[in-house]
Amino acid sequence: MVNKTHWWRDAVGYIIYPESFQDSNNDGVGDLPGITSRLDYLKDLGVNLLWICPVFDSPMDDNGYDVRDYYKINPLFGTNEDLKTLLDEAHKRGIRICLDFVLNHTSDEHPWFQKALADPNSEERGFYHFRKGKWVDGKLLPPNNWKGFFATSAWERVGETDDFYLHIFSKKMPDVNWANPALRQRYYEIARHYLDLGVDGFRLDALAHLAKDMTFSDSTVPTDEFGRAYDPSKFSSRPELFDYLAEFKREVLDHYDCLTIGEVGGGVRPEEALRYVCFENGAINMLFNFDTAWCNGAYGSIDKRDDEIKTDIIGMKRSFESWYKSCAGKADLPIYWENHDHPRVLSQYGSTAYRGESAKALATLLLFMYGTPFIYYGDEIGMSNVTYSRIEDFYMDVGNRNDVEEKRALGYSDEQILHYLCRCSRVNARTPMQWNSSPYAGFSNVAPRVKVNDNYLEGVNALDEMNDPYSIINFVQYAIGKRKDPEIAALLKKPWKIVDMNHPDVFAYQHEGEDERLVVVANLRPYSTFFGFYHTIRDVVLHNYGDVIINDHVFTLRPFECFLLRV
Ligand code: GLC
């Protein structure tokens, strides 16, 4: 057992999608040396904890979430040596690194799966979920009606046999069988390998899904047009999962001062979170759940008009509050707007018409809540959703490819589908980092695999941002500096609460110290609104407009106006 120092509590995190951060060898794909070359940028920004999406060898069906070899860095991203260099250089700068560890599935090209296919009696066959299909009226159907996350059946037939294997994501990502102790040991070895190498922790991908309903019975939820039932309860937060995690903790995590961030999709309610993360006996440290990522009704919104997409600010505040109430004092809490699986937050809750104002308001809200904030790469320069004009531009995402097929089969036109993808696709958040205004935004010298957002030519790039004293990046850098100011840092640990929960436009909260409060007030609308305020302002620490309008205890808040105040 090592002594856990909980170093992440005061950290500022930053999420990197490696394919799109910085290409160092001009092959159109970002890489580890590219990240290393940008460490000074990150240090200057003030972040000190990176979570990097998967970098292991992979055929890239799901852009690295389909791992072929856990012990080898994906040649697209560099070499094992490059990872070591990145770790050393990051550590020299006081930056810690968490790798994205995919342990719910492998690639179908992983040697385990290849052996499992080649020899039904092999040990590896037991590493996956193989089941017989069902013959109905002369037709071979999957073993059950489960639908996966990527718009297909959760089963794929093995050649011409009666066997199927389970895949809750793409068919090139067979789920591994955590009920098998030998399989679990393989994962513990991988984890130890990277922790021994100097990695500071892991983001644990699709963690909620490791244990399945091993009866593999049909789901009783209503089925879709194709007879498939989308019922994540069959493979989310099942009781056995907590036994596996406890073992993982005992055998590996307890022996390192490492951070573990579990990804649990929308499948875990705040009340359940402590089973994963409570200080006394939770196996891991934090959960990313995404309750607060889709508060504008955009999820699955193909049938909605643009004017129907509006942030439910009260609902969003309630959600932050319920996570706080469940976790405060009992578990560590991460704070984030999005990751590589969502549209850009600027397009979700902000506004491209008020890019600067809204990006600053969102950054302020993020950085001063209770917990460890994670900035998604590019949010610090106001990156927004893509401007693609062809459905095919989204095809580097297997989820989107399947989605397009399904939507076409349901009768949607390509025009509707394109509009929907521009609003909701996760590719929105996967476009190359916009470093400057040279071709391909300074990301690469050649056309990147993921197309650059054209707005890098309109000032949305790091260099132009740095040169503007009132820019988003300068604001974010200053705000992170303020977050580290000892007096403010102490206030951040004080009890937190939402102010004026029922205000439909303003997200305001405070930390209540003994004789001082730290208050954030942010108008999240593209129009002005009023906000009553009865405190004596001691200091305006952050503000995104030039002057303050307050009359008779009422703020007039202009579009996306925000304050950080000491009162
Ligand atoms: C997680 C990842 C997502 C990936 C999926 C399958 O949800 O964040 O990007 O597609 O797991 O690994």
Side-chain angles (χ1 to χ4, degrees), residues 410-428:
L410 290 171
Y412 289 99
S413 70
D414 278 14
E415 196 189 338
Q416 283 171 299
I417 298 173
L418 177 65
H419 191 74
Y420 167 68
L421 291 174
C422 287
R423 177 195 286 160
C424 292
S425 166
R426 57 188 192 167
V427 175
N428 282 302

Side-chain angles (χ1 to χ4, degrees), residues 494-523:
K494 300 291 179 196
W496 176 91
K497 71 171 195 225
I498 299 277
V499 180
D500 201 349
M501 177 62 90
N502 291 324
H503 198 301
D505 304 321
V506 173
F507 192 155
Y509 61 75
Q510 69 178 33
H511 293 272
E512 192 143 1
E514 281 77 47
D515 51 9
E516 190 180 10
R517 289 188 182 91
L518 187 72
V519 183
V520 169
V521 178
N523 174 14

Side-chain angles (χ1 to χ4, degrees), residues 87-143:
L87 291 171
D88 292 345
E89 291 299 318
H91 291 160
K92 272 188 212 159
R93 292 166 176 80
I95 297 175
R96 315 232 193 191
I97 297 209
C98 286
L99 293 184
D100 205 324
F101 189 20
V102 189
L103 27 68
N104 175 69
H105 43 267
T106 66
S107 162
D108 63 342
E109 297 180 29
H110 193 290
W112 299 340
F113 192 69
Q114 290 299 313
K115 279 195 201 144
L117 282 183
D119 178 3
N121 297 317
S122 59
E123 184 191 16
E124 286 77 4
R125 186 83 170 187
F127 286 5
Y128 297 89
H129 299 284
F130 285 92
R131 290 290 182 280
K132 294 274 175 225
K134 292 191 284 206
W135 284 101
V136 179
D137 298 334
K139 237 181 113 188
L140 185 61
L141 300 180

